[in-house]
Amino acid sequence: MFPHKFFFIFFIFLFSFQVFAEFDENAGKAPVFVKKGEPHLAIEWAVPLKKNQVQVNRREEAGVTFFGDDLLVATRAGELHLFGKNGGLKVTAVFEGECTVAPLAVDETHVLVPVSNSVFMLELVTEKKGKRTGYSWKVLWNVTGKASVATRPFIYDDKFVLIQFHDSVIYVVDKESGELKNMYSDYENSEELAVVRLAPPVVVDGKIVFGFSDGTITFFMLRDEGKVDLIPYYKFKTAGSMKRFEKRDFFDVLSFIGIEDSILFSGGEYGGVIVSGTPTKLENMEDLQLFKYGNGFAGFGRRGIFIFDEDGKFKSQPFKSMNYVTNLVQGNGFAVAMTSGEGPMLGDTDAFIYLLSPDFTQVYYSMMIPNGVSSNAVSERNALYFVSDMGVLYKFKVLK
């Protein structure tokens, strides 16, 4: 059902913030206005996901995932909502625990859902009830570790699900049955563990690359010959000291992306490129979430958006931000950057969403979102979906 009763309230709420409290971080504190003929953002609907909208140092870290023609929304409260793209709620599953890692859609009816220290394989069941369609979730299997799940589950060769936990343990699970085939444990770094945001695994030159909470990056080979083994091929540390990671700073990140047979990485202290297991430090590569961009690469994080060439060398910083850039989604002829407030402990809770040109150099429009957006956001065509740290699910349209 379309959430009419919430639409007017949240439209006025956002409009008032836009008029009286909207500032462009790129231009100091100059107001941002919609210029005639330029694109802008317009709210289509908003759905509160909880009764109490006060968020105190509890960020919504999981967020939104596309699931066929629908949206999966996982919240810090351990709820998994299935929404239509018109804002109508179809079904909710409630778990004991917290969702801080985004779900992984396996196909149009199956999804892997991390909840605290467990991962559930769910199947969406639909049945006709007269003229209406009913929905329910069926649990096919689940596995549980000793620490919280660190990254999105990773499906390898369509046979195995690799699940990483924050205690440097990786489970290799049969995708169909949920049977634990083997596990990898790195106990030598157990005293240096901390909960930081880790990139999902990637496959580079036939090796599976994982990052760990102590700042280590390890290349694995998976052997499936009678017995399944996850074998470390080589590993290296991205930092000489782990003191910064031990602070459990929400903004600490270990990100990497494949470059032919090597990787480009960004860590808490520095970033660079790895060739044959040897790291080379590169400029302006720290504290970024990396992605491929044009013929090179880009990253977003604590200081804004950065562009690098195909070798990982710094080219430009087209967008600067006082707050941490948590999302950067690209659409048809536009990009949207989202930031997160520092939280009430530091007295700076306000953050923004920015509508940018495709090369990130021009701010078309911005809007303040109290507390900001820390969780996963998604975009298709001219639509943008995200959950704010206040616990509200939004759909915005890009109007040109």
Side-chain angles (χ1 to χ4, degrees):
M1 181 174 61
F2 191 87
H4 294 283
K5 63 180 180 180
F6 298 116
F7 177 83
F8 181 75
I9 296 174
F10 277 92
F11 178 83
I12 295 299
F13 174 74
L14 287 175
F15 182 78
S16 63
F17 270 107
Q18 175 185 336
V19 173
F20 297 108
E22 180 182 349
F23 295 95
D24 177 7
E25 292 171 348
N26 281 348
K29 292 193 175 182
V32 177
F33 301 99
V34 182
K35 296 180 181 179
K36 186 177 181 179
E38 287 192 344
H40 61 280
L41 289 168
I43 186 172
E44 185 165 313
W45 49 257
V47 181
L49 300 178
K50 60 182 183 180
K51 295 180 180 179
N52 183 4
Q53 295 300 307
V54 177
Q55 194 83 334
V56 181
N57 285 338
R58 289 176 60 83
R59 304 176 188 272
E60 290 293 344
E61 297 178 48
V64 185
T65 302
F66 285 128
F67 187 61
D69 294 328
D70 296 318
L71 305 171
L72 283 172
V73 182
T75 73
R76 190 68 178 261
E79 297 173 339
L80 180 71
H81 305 286
L82 180 66
F83 279 95
K85 291 178 183 176
N86 65 348
L89 178 63
K90 294 184 175 182
V91 65
T92 295
V94 180
F95 299 90
E96 292 185 4
E98 296 182 333
C99 295
T100 57
V101 177
L104 176 67
V106 178
D107 52 41
E108 291 191 351
T109 56
H110 297 86
V111 59
L112 288 161
V113 185
V115 184
S116 293
N117 62 330
S118 299
V119 170
F120 294 81
M121 173 70 89
L122 301 184
E123 179 181 13
L124 181 64
V125 179
T126 61
E127 57 181 316
K128 290 290 185 180
K129 298 180 178 178
K131 295 183 179 181
R132 301 182 62 184
T133 301
Y135 301 90
S136 62
W137 291 110
K138 178 181 179 181
V139 178
L140 300 182
W141 53 260
N142 72 284
V143 295
T144 300
K146 295 182 179 179
S148 59
V149 178
T151 63
R152 271 184 171 177
F154 180 72
I155 298 177
Y156 183 76
D157 200 26
D158 202 32
K159 293 176 60 178
F160 304 107
V161 179
L162 277 64
I163 301 171
Q164 183 180 13
F165 301 91
H166 269 302
D167 56 355
S168 293
V169 172
I170 301 171
Y171 282 4
V172 182
V173 177
D174 184 272
K175 176 172 170 279
E176 299 302 321
S177 66
E179 177 186 357
L180 179 61
K181 292 294 186 179
N182 212 327
M183 61 185 293
Y184 168 83
S185 300
D186 187 0
Y187 290 108
E188 66 179 74
N189 297 318
S190 60
E191 294 183 357
E192 294 183 333
L193 297 181
V195 178
V196 300
R197 291 179 303 147
L198 301 174
V202 297
V203 176
V204 176
D205 193 28
K207 314 294 189 306
I208 308 171
V209 184
F210 278 89
F212 292 88
S213 297
D214 68 338
T216 300
I217 296 177
T218 304
F219 288 64
F220 291 92
M221 295 185 298
L222 193 148
R223 183 171 60 190
D224 181 18
E225 299 175 358
K227 179 183 178 182
V228 178
D229 284 319
L230 190 63
I231 306 168
Y233 187 72
Y234 57 79
K235 62 183 177 180
F236 60 92
K237 269 198 171 184
T238 63
S241 169
M242 304 317 299
K243 291 182 180 179
R244 187 168 184 275
F245 287 104
E246 290 170 357
K247 295 179 182 178
R248 298 176 181 265
D249 188 342
F250 170 80
F251 300 121
D252 281 338
V253 61
L254 181 58
S255 175
F256 43 81
I257 191 169
I259 307 179
E260 296 181 352
D261 58 351
S262 60
I263 65 168
L264 190 72
F265 76 93
S266 173
E269 288 192 352
Y270 69 94
V273 63
I274 308 301
V275 179
S276 300
T278 302
T280 299
K281 184 177 180 179
L282 294 175
E283 181 185 4
N284 290 322
M285 192 66 73
E286 70 276 5
D287 285 322
L288 298 178
Q289 297 186 62
L290 302 172
F291 62 98
K292 292 184 179 180
Y293 176 74
N295 295 325
F297 306 91
F300 58 93
R302 187 182 290 274
R303 291 171 292 145
I305 302 172
F306 296 77
I307 306 296
F308 306 91
D309 67 16
E310 62 273 13
D311 297 318
K313 294 183 179 179
F314 173 71
K315 292 178 62 178
S316 64
Q317 184 182 0
F319 178 79
K320 297 180 180 180
S321 175
M322 295 175 63
N323 284 353
Y324 193 96
V325 179
T326 53
N327 280 283
L328 182 60
V329 294
Q330 297 172 281
N332 183 19
F334 68 90
V336 176
M338 302 181 182
T339 65
S340 178
E342 298 291 336
M345 296 300 293
L346 297 179
D348 181 12
T349 62
D350 298 329
F352 293 79
I353 54 176
Y354 296 90
L355 180 62
L356 307 174
S357 58
D359 62 358
F360 319 127
T361 59
Q362 185 176 358
V363 178
Y364 294 135
Y365 183 83
S366 69
M367 177 179 290
M368 190 178 76
I369 299 292
N371 283 49
V373 182
S374 302
S375 62
N376 189 61
V378 293
S379 174
E380 64 173 358
R381 299 184 182 90
N382 65 334
L384 175 69
Y385 305 89
F386 64 90
V387 177
S388 73
D389 278 349
M390 296 287 285
V392 180
L393 173 64
Y394 293 96
K395 178 182 180 181
F396 277 84
K397 283 289 190 71
V398 177
L399 303 180
K400 299 181 181 181

